[in-house]
Amino acid sequence: MPAGQRPPLPCRPSSPGKPSNWLPVRCADRSSTPTRGRGIADKLIGSCQAGQEGFLRGFLVAEEVRVRLVLSILQEVRDPRDINARHNLAELLFVALAATLCGAKSCVDIAEFVEGREDELKAIVELKHGCPSHDTFSRVFRLLDPQALSDALSAFMVALRRELGLGSPRGVVAIDGKALRRGYEKGRAFMPPLMVNAWDAETRLAIAATRALASDEVGATLALLKSLDLKGCTVTADALHCRPDTAEALIAQKAHYALGLKANRGRLFAAAEKSFAVAGEIASFETRDTAHGRTEVRRASVLPLAKLKDLPVFPGLKAIGRIEALRTTDGKTAASVRYVALSKVLTPKHLAETVRAHWTIENQLHWSLDVVFREDDARTRKDNAPQNLAVIRRLAQNILAAHPLDKPIASKMRRANWSKDFFYDLFTHMR
């Protein structure tokens, strides 16, 4: 062997007598050709399917080739455990993510997934000390700094967008809170943990999430906004966030805002009602939707700053929009009127599209988390575990949503559980 050249790394033989759809780990040396590769295997394994000893084994083509997106980011999360901890933190996080992609809902589910797929998972991660117990997963998620895992979610989305050539979000970014309804401590059912989510309505992906300590959604939102690149975006939020400090924070980020306006902003709300009442004929845009036994007609209109009467000072305000809605269900019609504070003058059509885009955070992120991931039923409640598992779910939701298969999230989750090839493809097709 030439001087300075490293010997071939040892390879773990595949388990005899145990057929698997996952990638067999067999190679003679670094120059051998893999017998099979699917999904991330084609991208990661390269010329040696066994890779390096330890966590990176099976994931490096050579030392010079970087670890793939998810794994490399999870390695950056600081391990809060003592130095004598047996299981590698990045491995624990990865298999928890893998289990969640395949339908696991709790630490017990995650541990059972790893136990049932041990041989297959060892083609990806070492699991040197065998299968972690559910107590190990529970302890890790209780101790883990939730901000560190939230930062990992943000880093994942930044890196993914960079690989896609998308750059930072440029369309509508929706902000909204979501309670973890059963994640409360004993005797505190009235105050479940609250997560604040940032949602890119254009790509339909969660770009950030953080817990609102003491249910302070406004404070958590202000902190979240500072961590995001929102230049040129239109940030939408409900009436709770129609506040001067939120508006100033968005202006400082060089973003526009479209904030729900209700009576909690007394003078501004009264000015909006009065201005539209005396405005006479104004341009509008109307839509009509019929679905699920109901018909809804919406009419959007906008008044610029010059036509607003008795307006109090509000940072960056340039216009106020109005959405009038008539909903008919079973022959009964209900009317509603909503106002929106705007930092730029929009056309009525653009206003209608912006408001509709905001609601995708409810019917595509929150609905998916509740119905598919069963987040509202999750009883994990100790220390930092509720919010850390919530971030894992959002990572899984993003990966499933980004796959190009034209199927619902629930269908993709089932396929990931049934087919190891599809599981690998989830990572390959994030682009």
Side-chain angles (χ1 to χ4, degrees):
M1 180 177 295
Q5 180 175 336
R6 297 185 182 184
L9 291 171
C11 300
R12 181 184 62 81
S14 58
S15 301
K18 294 186 178 182
S20 170
N21 291 330
W22 283 37
L23 179 71
V25 181
R26 298 187 184 97
C27 67
D29 54 46
R30 287 181 179 272
S31 62
S32 62
T33 302
T35 57
R36 180 183 176 205
R38 286 299 304 267
I40 56 172
D42 289 331
K43 301 290 185 180
L44 303 180
I45 306 303
S47 61
C48 177
Q49 293 178 334
Q52 292 187 343
E53 183 70 16
F55 175 64
L56 303 184
R57 185 182 60 209
F59 280 90
L60 295 179
V61 176
E63 286 90 348
E64 297 77 17
V65 179
R66 66 179 175 81
V67 181
R68 284 291 290 175
L69 188 66
V70 177
L71 296 169
S72 62
I73 290 174
L74 293 178
Q75 282 184 300
E76 297 299 318
V77 179
R78 188 183 65 83
D79 193 339
R81 300 171 297 168
D82 289 337
I83 195 170
N84 61 347
R86 300 177 67 196
H87 297 284
N88 181 285
L89 178 64
E91 290 188 15
L92 293 174
L93 294 177
F94 180 80
V95 296
L97 175 60
T100 305
L101 285 168
C102 294
K105 306 296 192 295
S106 66
C107 290
V108 172
D109 291 349
I110 294 170
E112 290 177 351
F113 172 85
V114 178
E115 183 178 352
R117 301 288 180 83
E118 180 180 4
D119 291 338
E120 298 166 344
L121 286 170
K122 282 184 175 180
I124 304 176
V125 293
E126 186 178 21
L127 295 178
K128 181 178 179 180
H129 297 286
C131 297
S133 68
H134 75 274
D135 286 330
T136 296
F137 285 108
S138 177
R139 186 163 52 250
V140 165
F141 284 118
R142 288 177 62 179
L143 293 174
L144 196 64
D145 178 9
Q147 190 57 52
L149 204 54
S150 295
D151 290 345
L153 170 62
S154 299
F156 170 82
M157 292 313 301
V158 169
L160 176 58
R161 296 183 71 92
R162 183 171 59 244
E163 288 197 358
L164 294 171
L166 295 176
S168 300
R170 288 294 178 266
V172 172
V173 173
I175 305 291
D176 199 18
K178 182 185 182 301
L180 310 178
R181 297 194 178 278
R182 298 201 68 206
Y184 55 83
E185 294 276 11
K186 184 177 180 180
R188 295 183 63 83
F190 63 93
M191 189 178 286
L194 180 69
M195 298 294 294
V196 176
N197 304 301
W199 169 258
D200 183 356
E202 181 181 9
T203 60
R204 308 296 172 88
L205 297 173
I207 57 176
T210 189
R211 180 175 180 177
L213 297 177
S215 295
D216 180 11
E217 184 176 339
V218 172
T221 298
L222 291 173
L224 190 65
L225 292 176
K226 293 178 181 178
S227 69
L228 299 175
D229 180 6
L230 298 170
K231 184 178 180 181
C233 296
T234 297
V235 177
T236 62
D238 60 28
L240 176 65
H241 301 284
C242 189
R243 304 162 46 96
D245 50 359
T246 302
E248 289 171 351
L250 291 170
I251 293 169
Q253 293 284 73
K254 298 183 179 180
H256 298 289
Y257 61 74
L259 305 175
L261 175 59
K262 292 185 178 179
N264 61 326
R265 304 304 307 175
R267 293 176 58 200
L268 186 58
F269 182 75
E273 288 189 312
K274 179 179 179 180
S275 299
F276 276 97
V278 301
E281 289 293 328
I282 55 177
S284 64
F285 176 77
E286 185 173 294
T287 62
R288 178 184 295 268
D289 296 314
T290 300
H292 307 293
R294 63 177 181 265
T295 298
E296 188 161 1
V297 179
R298 303 180 191 87
R299 183 181 296 110
S301 51
V302 178
L303 282 181
L305 193 63
K307 294 186 178 181
L308 297 173
K309 310 294 183 181
D310 303 327
L311 194 67
V313 175
F314 193 85
L317 186 68
K318 294 294 188 294
I320 291 180
R322 180 179 67 178
I323 303 290
E324 301 170 281
L326 289 175
R327 174 179 289 192
T328 302
T329 305
D330 297 329
K332 299 179 180 179
T333 300
S336 64
V337 178
R338 290 173 287 159
Y339 296 96
V340 184
L342 303 169
S343 64
K344 66 175 179 179
V345 181
L346 304 178
T347 65
K349 181 180 180 180
H350 193 184
L351 171 64
E353 292 170 347
T354 299
V355 171
R356 293 291 284 174
H358 171 77
W359 289 107
T360 59
I361 192 173
E362 289 284 357
N363 55 38
Q364 296 196 30
L365 176 62
H366 294 176
W367 184 91
S368 176
L369 291 171
D370 284 340
V371 175
V372 180
F373 291 88
R374 311 296 296 177
E375 184 167 80
D376 270 356
D377 294 333
R379 197 65 186 95
T380 305
R381 59 194 180 278
K382 294 290 186 181
D383 303 320
N384 297 328
Q387 57 266 41
N388 283 326
L389 284 172
V391 172
I392 292 291
R393 292 185 203 105
R394 283 150 180 79
L395 270 170
Q397 201 273 348
N398 280 347
I399 293 172
L400 291 166
H403 192 279
L405 181 66
D406 187 19
K407 294 289 185 180
I409 296 291
S411 175
K412 294 179 185 180
M413 181 182 287
R414 289 191 294 270
R415 288 168 186 260
N417 189 29
W418 297 335
S419 168
K420 309 308 175 295
D421 290 344
F422 185 79
F423 175 85
Y424 281 124
D425 287 342
L426 284 174
F427 292 89
T428 298
H429 290 296
M430 285 192 299
R431 65 179 54 247

